[in-house]
């Protein structure tokens, strides 16, 4: 008979019982003194790396951020700590005796370094969309559910699960606002995701080094940034949980010692739990149910999987259709024709997220190309893993790599679908890469010499994507104060005008005001804004039906947004700032170092 495959699909190297490698005994195990030394090094590297990381954050000058965001201001000590942490993890992988707790500690340390760094450095919540979601939670809490007069934000009334859950938590705990814990959402969301990832990988493999290597690779390549205070982070966590529970039930031919408890059928209680999680996904996010349906559909293609997958697929179809035809009908009905039209435009849907970079700042162009390179590289490595490790084809994970593609071809999702498809494919992609890089055999420490630079390169690409736009994502206390002044003093019905969405908290009480984002207007209006910024602002500030004064807010982050993205000429804000003082009808009502607020009233409607 031939040699029995190892847990990761390799074969036992010949001669391992006759000649031991240097530094090992005849059994192939490290000599006791070397094993002991390595174990103590593994235990010492982790706290040392984390201590260096915290020390590196003491004197970071955030005002020096430009095109490359945090990459330009983080000190060398930060990168030394990251390299040391990665080295310690590679040493842990090379030692077959490393315990579960040390692997978990290293991964949690990586999560802290990546995701807690902005939270520890910034005085306020990062990212404008996180502030918007805070406003939605607040509005739903004040109105006890559906928010009236929500205008463009009415879509959140149709998928309120995430926001209602947070509103319920705030009422139960007596906490006034979610802003305190929202800043830590990236850390906790990724830490919570560790459980479902481990459940998924342990369903198809027994080798702990392969399992934890796949986990590390997932976090090292997850640059998309959909882990902030948002329904997508919540729904993605539930999505991975559902897929992991399904994989645990599937009869896996990849395992050398199959789990006899897998009967290819669901215990009723567990199936009910899965359907409850599916219902939470369906009520919280419009895209994730489609990704789930696509994943379930491809998993049901092998006949041996259908007894497990089809009940969940049927339940997901029923729940999604029922929700879309009832609660979400107000959004689905008017957009149905555009959704149908997008089905016949797969090429434009796929390319919509690959924005042209001709008008962007040089740093953003570099970040975008590195993001694309990292994404292409991980899919290439996964494809090589699929070819070189045939046993992975029986795990169901290659099917999950392909499952987002039909959804990607069917809809552009505002130009973000290609990034979401990458996110939903990444858990399976990470495992295929780990299977390629972490094949079992002798001398694992020597193999780590190759794996270590690969892991460092992945983290380098991640940090470009995750930290490269922080000059826009970061807000100062002065910007928060200016936005609060506007939302607290603008009468109901007042238009609130800004150049971009980069203003923290300006959506608070959004049901009472009309938001105008000048950079998101049609081409003719933007051309008019470039030619004559003052008259264009007047046109948006006081329409025919306006009865209240308009408020115009200009901030540091908006100026950086224009420069970084090129959506408008970089000098647009400076030209507007020079035109507003002394202009008829405009009164400066608030200013600080990073923001200025003007109120506009026509002369005939001036109040005494």
């Amino acid at each position: 008979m031939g040699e029995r495959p190892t847990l990761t699909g390799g074969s036992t190297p010949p001669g391992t019982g006759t000649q031991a490698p240097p530094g090992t005994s005849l059994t192939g195990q490290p000599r006791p003194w070397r094993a002991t030394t390595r174990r103590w090094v593994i235990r010492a590297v982790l706290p040392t790396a984390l201590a260096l990381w915290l020390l590196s954050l003491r004197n970071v000058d955030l005002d020096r951020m430009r095109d490359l965001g945090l990459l330009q201001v983080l000190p060398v000590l930060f990168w030394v700590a990251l390299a040391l942490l990665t080295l310690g993890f590679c040493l842990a992988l090379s030692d077959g005796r490393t315990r579960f707790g040390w692997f978990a500690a290293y991964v949690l340390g990586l999560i802290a370094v990546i995701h807690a760094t902005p939270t520890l450095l910034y005085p306020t919540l990062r990212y404008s969309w996180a502030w918007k979601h805070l406003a939605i939670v607040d509005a739903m809490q004040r109105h006890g559910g559906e928010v009236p007069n929500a205008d463009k934000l009415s879509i959140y009334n149709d998928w309120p699960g995430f926001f209602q859950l947070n509103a319920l938590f705030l009422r139960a705990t007596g906490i006034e606002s979610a802003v305190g814990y929202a800043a830590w959402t990236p850390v906790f969301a990724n830490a919570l995701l560790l459980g479902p990832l481990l459940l998924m990988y342990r369903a198809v493999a027994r080798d702990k080094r392969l399992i934890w290597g796949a986990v590390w690779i997932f976090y090292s390549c997850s640059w998309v940034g959909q882990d902030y205070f948002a329904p997508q982070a919540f729904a993605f966590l539930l999505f991975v949980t559902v897929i992991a529970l399904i994989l645990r039930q599937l009869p896996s031919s990849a395992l050398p010692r199959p789990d006899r408890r897998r009967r290819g059928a669901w215990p009723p209680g567990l199936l009910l739990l899965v359907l409850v999680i599916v219902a939470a996904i369906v009520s919280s996010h419009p895209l994730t149910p489609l990704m789930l349906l696509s994943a379930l559909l491809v998993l049901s293609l092998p006949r041996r999987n259908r007894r497990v997958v089809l009940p969940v697929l049927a339940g997901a179809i029923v729940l999604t259709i029922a929700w879309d035809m009832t609660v979400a009908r107000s959004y689905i009905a008017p957009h149905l024709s555009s959704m149908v039209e997008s089905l016949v435009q797969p090429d434009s849907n796929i390319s919509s997220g690959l924005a042209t970079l001709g008008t962007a700042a040089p740093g953003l162009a570099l970040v975008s190309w590195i993001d694309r390179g990292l994404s292409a590289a991980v899919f290439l490595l996964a494809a090589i893993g699929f070819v070189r490790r045939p046993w992975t084809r029986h795990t169901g994970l290659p099917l999950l790599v392909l499952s987002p593609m039909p959804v990607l071809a069917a809809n552009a999702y505002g130009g973000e679908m290609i990034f979401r498809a990458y996110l939903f494919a990444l858990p399976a992609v990470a495992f295929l890469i780990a299977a390629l890089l972490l094949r079992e055999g002798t001398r694992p420490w020597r193999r780590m010499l190759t794996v270590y630079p690969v892991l460092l390169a992945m983290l380098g690409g991640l940090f470009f994507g995750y930290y490269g736009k922080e000059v826009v994502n970061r807000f100062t206390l002065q910007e928060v104060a200016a936005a609060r002044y506007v939302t607290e003093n603008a009468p109901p019905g007042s238009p609130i005008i800004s150049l971009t969405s980069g203003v923290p908290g300006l959506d608070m009480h959004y049901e009472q005001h009309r938001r105008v984002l000048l950079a998101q207007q049609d081409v003719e209006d933007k051309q008019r804004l470039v030619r004559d910024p003052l008259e264009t602002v007047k046109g948006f500030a006081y329409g025919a039906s306006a009865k209240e004064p308009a408020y115009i807010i200009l901030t540091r982050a908006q100026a950086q947004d224009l420069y970084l993205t090129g959506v408008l000429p970089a000098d647009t804000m400076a030209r507007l700032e020079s035109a507003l003082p002394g202009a008829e009808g405009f009164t400066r009502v608030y200013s600080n170092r990073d923001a200025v607020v003007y109120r506009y009233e026509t002369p005939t409607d001036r109040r005494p």
Side-chain angles (χ1 to χ4, degrees), residues 13-94:
T16 54
T18 59
Q19 184 178 2
T24 63
S25 65
L26 290 178
T27 62
Q29 296 299 322
R31 295 188 186 278
W33 67 271
R34 292 202 175 193
T36 301
T37 302
R38 185 184 302 176
R39 196 171 301 119
W40 279 108
V41 170
I42 292 169
R43 295 177 180 180
V45 165
L46 176 61
T48 302
L50 294 180
L52 293 176
W53 163 60
L54 291 174
L55 287 173
S56 73
L57 303 183
R58 290 183 305 168
N59 299 306
V60 177
D61 186 1
L62 297 175
D63 291 332
R64 291 194 300 109
M65 284 197 295
R66 292 296 181 268
D67 293 24
L68 297 179
L70 277 177
L71 296 173
Q72 292 173 289
V73 298
L74 289 172
V76 174
L77 191 59
F78 176 90
W79 306 110
V80 171
L82 182 67
L84 188 61
L85 183 70
T86 307
L87 177 62
F89 180 75
C90 287
L91 290 174
L93 287 178
S94 69

Side-chain angles (χ1 to χ4, degrees), residues 132-151:
K132 178 182 292 187
H133 295 155
L134 285 178
I136 294 164
V137 172
D138 176 79
M140 288 190 176
Q141 189 175 14
R142 284 186 286 105
H143 290 279
E146 182 174 336
V147 182
N149 305 315
D151 195 24

Side-chain angles (χ1 to χ4, degrees), residues 482-500 503 505-510 512-518 521 537 540-541 548-554 558 597-598:
R484 183 179 295 118
Y485 173 86
V486 173
T487 57
E488 291 179 353
N489 290 275
S494 291
I496 298 177
I497 301 173
S498 61
L499 285 166
T500 73
V503 187
L506 203 58
D507 290 297
M508 193 63 67
H509 304 291
Y510 61 89
Q512 299 178 12
H513 305 110
R514 178 171 62 90
R515 281 291 310 277
V516 179
L517 302 179
L518 297 176
Q521 303 304 314
V537 168
F540 282 106
E548 298 293 342
Y551 286 76
I552 300 93
I553 180 168
L554 305 175
Q558 291 182 75
V597 178
Y598 285 87

Side-chain angles (χ1 to χ4, degrees), residues 388-412:
R388 296 289 301 275
R389 305 290 180 259
W391 66 273
T392 60
R393 302 170 195 177
H394 305 290
T395 63
L397 294 180
L399 294 172
L400 292 173
V401 173
L402 300 175
S403 67
M405 302 310 164
V407 185
L408 172 61
N411 198 292

